[in-house]
Amino acid sequence: MQLDESEHRTILVKLLSFSLYHRNILPRQTMKIPRLPVLNPLILAFLASSSLASEPIIPATRPTENTSHWVPARTREVKRQLKELPCDILFVGDSITECWEREGRQIWQSVFLPMKAVNFGISGDRTDNVLWRIKDTGLKTTTPPKCCIILLGTNNIGKWDAKQKTDDIVRGIESVCKAIRKKFPLAHLILMGVTPYGNDPAAPHRRQGDEINAKLAKLNLPYSDFLNLNDKMLNEDGTQKEGLFKDHVHLTAAGYQIWADALLPLLHKQK
């Protein structure tokens, strides 16, 4: 099972709290937990320095390798698809794109693979990571895609806890679009709006997603469409519709069906 950044941080914080409690650094009344073995001080130092200390925010336009432990295996699969599969449609993104092959598998296999789709999505990728991957792979598809679908920004919001500047994220997404346009000048681009991050419409992550989408809608990239699914995924009060999200970020099969239903009319126009 793959954990996202927030889940990693939660586990590490809990481990550190357990150890501090048992070393009598935290007051006993603050935590009622069974006694556990004391963690090695070197592990504590690593946890504090690597996960609890604030990390500098990486600019959204600076190509940066995603070094998460699951990336090498997924990268091999992405490169295999680029090398072996015919490519009329290229999906570019993060875990929400990658999971077309898991939660969205039935639709992917029955609808998009026959349309010669290739999945260039890797879990955890931010805009800077995708820019790095575009350089690393050269986007060497077997055939130039007729259409490229780009969904990015979720991990820029999540990784930096909605503290990366919205304009920086938008520039990162735009840079990815321009890099794809440079490689495939005749491809039609479908730029997706960031899907709802979390159930609370007033939360910082959701507000930043809305800000990003408002700016993406105004980019007016040549030979492109902007597609925002949020009105189909949210209730009138802004909360997420039941059954579309498995963890308030990633989509269920029903969520992928909504995405497919919105995409297909645009894709059929490009035939």
Side-chain angles (χ1 to χ4, degrees), residues 2-9 55 58 60 62 64-72 74-75 78 92-99 102 119-133 151-160 164 197 247 249-250 256:
Q2 296 177 0
L3 301 177
D4 61 25
E5 295 289 345
S6 63
E7 289 169 325
H8 279 295
R9 288 198 297 270
E55 298 179 62
I58 298 171
R62 179 196 298 167
T64 307
E65 184 176 7
N66 181 347
T67 57
S68 300
H69 66 84
W70 60 80
V71 170
R74 176 60 186 171
T75 298
V78 166
V92 178
D94 48 40
S95 56
I96 300 174
T97 295
E98 179 183 339
C99 286
R102 294 206 290 272
N119 193 325
F120 196 69
I122 292 187
S123 296
D125 264 10
R126 305 180 304 271
T127 56
D128 49 292
N129 303 135
V130 173
L131 288 169
W132 187 92
R133 286 202 291 120
L151 173 55
L152 285 168
T154 296
N155 289 310
N156 293 76
I157 296 172
K159 169 67 175 179
W160 310 120
Q164 187 167 36
Y197 194 119
D247 55 7
V249 176
H250 297 92
Y256 283 102

Side-chain angles (χ1 to χ4, degrees), residues 143-235:
T143 54
K146 299 174 183 176
C147 187
C148 299
I149 300 158
I150 301 107
L151 173 55
L152 285 168
T154 296
N155 289 310
N156 293 76
I157 296 172
K159 169 67 175 179
W160 310 120
D161 250 355
K163 293 182 176 64
Q164 187 167 36
K165 291 182 178 179
T166 297
D167 285 343
D168 189 21
I169 298 174
V170 172
R171 282 193 295 270
I173 296 171
E174 185 177 17
S175 294
V176 170
C177 292
K178 288 181 176 179
I180 293 171
R181 168 67 71 224
K182 183 176 181 179
K183 177 67 177 180
F184 306 119
L186 300 180
H188 187 86
L189 303 185
I190 299 177
L191 176 58
M192 303 299 305
V194 179
T195 49
Y197 194 119
N199 193 46
D200 180 2
H205 296 66
R206 278 286 297 279
R207 291 201 305 270
Q208 184 167 53
D210 291 340
E211 292 170 1
I212 291 170
N213 288 343
K215 291 177 180 292
L216 291 179
K218 297 177 181 178
L219 283 183
N220 292 321
L221 298 170
Y223 198 37
S224 69
D225 289 299
F226 174 69
L227 181 58
N228 189 346
L229 302 175
N230 292 11
D231 61 336
K232 298 176 178 63
M233 294 185 161
L234 298 174
N235 298 308

Side-chain angles (χ1 to χ4, degrees), residues 3 19-20 22 24 41 56 70 75 79 86 88 96 113 115 137 142 144-145 178 203 223-224 241 244 253:
L3 301 177
S19 186
L20 293 177
H22 288 297
N24 295 318
W70 60 80
T75 298
K79 289 182 176 180
D88 279 356
I96 300 174
L113 280 185
M115 296 176 71
T137 63
T142 58
K178 288 181 176 179
Y223 198 37
S224 69
K241 287 185 178 179
L244 300 185

